[in-house]
Amino acid sequence: MKKASYIKLTKSNKLLLVCFIVFGFHFNSYSQTKPLYKIKKKDSVLGIKKTLKKSKKEKTIAFNGHDGPYIINDTLYRVNNTNELEILPDFNRDSVLVRVDNKDNNKFYLSLNTNYNIPEHTYNLPEKMVVVSDIEGNYNAFASFLYANKIIDENHNWIYKNGHLVLGGDFVDRGKNVTQILWLIYKLEQQAREQNGVVHFILGNHEILNFYGDYRYNRGKYIKAALEISKLKKKKEAIKYLYSNKTELGKWLATKNVVEKIGDYLFVHAGLSPDILKFKLNLEDINNNVRSQFNGFTYTKDPIINFLYSSQGPFWYRGLILDRKSTAKITNQQLQAVLEYYDAKKIVIGHTTVENVSTDFNGQIIRSDVHHGNTMFSGKTKGLLVENGNEFILNDKAIKLPLH
């Protein structure tokens, strides 16, 4: 065995050693801090081809509890509680049953629309407006939040009258009740309209990822359903099929916006980069350009499309909250320029998780993506209430606190 070698501790390298210990300890302590979100090297739809790599732990591709329904033309597909795919070529379009995959076996009924219209981009501020984002297939959180705050009744019917409900994107992926949540939004949108209310569904990056078949965040049950229903062999193509204009949910989702303005509030899933001002786009331009790629994104030389689908785009940009190497945090001057261009006073975002519904830039940025609870009425599921010009934090126990 070789004799161990030692570094002679001169005065100079003693100093170096002390610096190494101090700064090394600080760095290690900071690295243990729980991050606000999982950092990805690049946030954008343009990088899908590179990121769809085989994961180390392969998902179990199998049915696992109630799922659906999936409706294609005149055929309804759904997975029952014994994990069998039911195919119903004849069903009542005015009474579609949706069963929730939870211990309470919740269920509700809805009727199908005959056509789907693109919503407006700008609205007047209503007397009352509730905002919640990033539910990600978590039915228990979503339904209990709506029920506690008197937006729906026990039968999942809209009771918020002429109020507005703003859904800030990322309602799909990760959870086990994705289709059930989409159908609940679908139902409430219809019922709200009948009472002069509005449901605003702002699309997030996860909805858009599914348009392109990015299945990384889908549970295995959804991949299994996509493969069985589409009869396609590739997972990516199968997921694309379920979110395409061949399906009822796909047609409906493709009408949704990625940015809307309600009163003086701009709503966008991730944020608006100051670089967007270079393109001189109004809200309609943003929505139409993004929507033009929903049913078949192709690599293009169009600088507007490339920007909107990049990490600086409205459903990926994190610069309203974070300062990263790839994206510096927006400055106050840049923020004022964005607000002035879009004639707004505040921007409400989700996408990047924070500890509580909160504000930045003297209340001009409102952050709504929090860690929602997994059980009903946990007190952890939270959203924003704007009522008669005042802002509050709401939770799924109907507790209302001022937003500071």
Side-chain angles (χ1 to χ4, degrees):
M1 182 180 290
K2 290 186 178 180
K3 191 175 180 180
S5 60
Y6 297 88
I7 299 173
K8 187 177 180 181
L9 292 177
T10 64
K11 187 175 182 180
S12 60
N13 58 32
K14 280 180 181 178
L15 180 60
L16 288 172
L17 180 60
V18 170
C19 291
F20 175 80
I21 292 171
V22 171
F23 287 103
F25 176 78
H26 175 72
F27 177 79
N28 286 332
S29 299
Y30 179 76
S31 68
Q32 298 304 311
T33 302
K34 187 177 179 181
L36 287 176
Y37 69 100
K38 187 176 180 181
I39 296 175
K40 294 192 291 184
K41 289 185 179 179
K42 186 173 182 180
D43 288 340
S44 74
V45 172
L46 298 177
I48 284 179
K49 286 187 176 180
K50 294 181 181 179
T51 55
L52 277 178
K53 295 179 180 178
K54 192 172 182 179
S55 61
K56 292 181 181 179
K57 186 177 180 181
E58 196 68 34
K59 293 179 183 177
T60 301
I61 309 301
F63 295 134
N64 186 17
H66 286 297
D67 182 28
Y70 300 93
I71 298 173
I72 302 165
N73 297 323
D74 294 323
T75 303
L76 182 149
Y77 303 81
R78 66 179 172 216
V79 179
N80 61 28
N81 61 346
T82 58
N83 297 324
E84 298 171 314
L85 179 64
E86 298 177 346
I87 303 174
L88 306 175
D90 295 308
F91 66 97
N92 186 351
R93 299 177 70 88
D94 293 322
S95 184
V96 177
L97 171 63
V98 180
R99 292 188 180 276
V100 178
D101 183 12
N102 67 354
K103 67 178 183 180
D104 294 325
N105 295 313
N106 294 116
K107 64 182 180 180
F108 57 91
Y109 291 85
L110 60 94
S111 59
L112 294 181
N113 280 332
T114 54
N115 53 45
Y116 303 105
N117 299 314
I118 293 173
E120 299 294 328
H121 312 285
T122 305
Y123 298 80
N124 293 326
L125 184 68
E127 290 182 6
K128 54 185 181 179
M129 173 173 65
V130 168
V131 184
V132 64
S133 76
D134 296 82
I135 288 294
E136 296 179 335
N138 184 346
Y139 167 87
N140 286 343
F142 187 45
S144 64
F145 176 82
L146 297 180
Y147 180 77
N149 292 292
K150 295 182 170 56
I151 296 169
I152 63 172
D153 64 16
E154 66 275 11
N155 294 315
H156 301 78
N157 291 311
W158 177 269
I159 56 171
Y160 203 46
K161 298 182 179 178
N162 62 349
H164 287 214
L165 173 64
V166 184
L167 309 175
D170 282 7
F171 278 67
V172 304
D173 283 347
R174 293 197 171 99
K176 65 178 184 177
N177 280 295
V178 169
T179 52
Q180 291 90 334
I181 281 178
L182 290 177
W183 283 122
L184 180 54
I185 298 169
Y186 181 104
K187 169 181 178 161
L188 296 179
E189 183 182 88
Q190 288 179 339
Q191 293 185 328
R193 193 180 302 119
E194 293 168 359
Q195 299 180 39
N196 296 316
V198 181
V199 173
H200 308 259
F201 191 178
I202 309 296
L203 296 183
N205 56 298
H206 281 277
E207 283 83 23
I208 290 170
L209 286 173
N210 277 276
F211 281 133
Y212 306 111
D214 190 334
Y215 55 83
R216 287 174 296 162
Y217 307 99
N218 276 267
R219 292 199 178 201
K221 62 190 279 187
Y222 299 112
I223 299 173
K224 175 67 171 177
L227 292 168
E228 292 289 333
I229 293 169
S230 70
K231 302 300 181 185
L232 297 169
K233 294 182 179 180
K234 293 184 178 180
K235 299 172 187 175
K236 178 180 176 179
E237 296 305 315
I239 291 293
K240 280 173 66 175
Y241 180 86
L242 284 193
Y243 283 83
S244 73
N245 56 13
K246 295 180 176 63
T247 72
E248 208 70 26
L249 284 176
K251 287 185 287 188
W252 169 69
L253 279 172
T255 65
K256 301 308 170 197
N257 292 325
V258 296
V259 59
E260 290 182 6
K261 184 180 172 215
I262 306 173
D264 292 326
Y265 294 83
L266 274 174
F267 291 91
V268 60
H269 175 64
L272 292 176
S273 163
D275 289 340
I276 201 168
L277 300 183
K278 298 174 184 177
F279 299 97
K280 301 187 186 310
L281 302 172
N282 60 33
L283 299 184
E284 187 174 7
D285 293 333
I286 296 171
N287 288 318
N288 288 343
N289 275 283
V290 172
R291 190 181 293 109
S292 71
Q293 303 296 311
F294 282 172
N295 288 311
F297 183 87
T298 55
Y299 285 82
T300 174
K301 294 182 180 180
D302 185 330
I304 294 175
I305 296 294
N306 286 335
F307 173 81
L308 292 173
Y309 275 84
S310 76
S311 59
Q312 301 296 303
F315 39 89
W316 283 113
Y317 177 65
R318 296 189 190 269
L320 295 186
I321 295 182
L322 299 172
D323 198 352
R324 306 166 71 183
K325 286 184 178 180
S326 59
T327 305
K329 186 174 181 178
I330 196 169
T331 66
N332 185 63
Q333 184 179 7
Q334 290 172 327
L335 175 60
Q336 301 316 312
V338 172
L339 290 170
E340 182 180 352
Y341 185 83
Y342 290 106
D343 191 25
K345 293 182 179 178
K346 304 191 178 197
I347 304 177
V348 184
I349 57 173
H351 190 51
T352 303
T353 308
V354 291
E355 291 303 316
N356 200 359
V357 177
S358 53
T359 65
D360 199 0
F361 291 95
N362 295 315
Q364 291 182 307
I365 300 296
I366 301 178
R367 307 170 293 199
S368 66
D369 180 8
V370 301
H371 297 284
H372 299 300
N374 292 318
T375 59
M376 289 189 173
F377 312 111
S378 65
K380 296 179 180 179
T381 301
K382 297 178 182 180
L384 168 72
L385 168 67
V386 179
E387 187 173 40
N388 297 319
N390 299 308
E391 297 165 351
F392 303 91
I393 302 170
L394 289 180
N395 72 9
D396 58 347
K397 288 186 174 181
I399 296 173
K400 181 171 78 172
L401 299 172
L403 175 66
H404 297 295

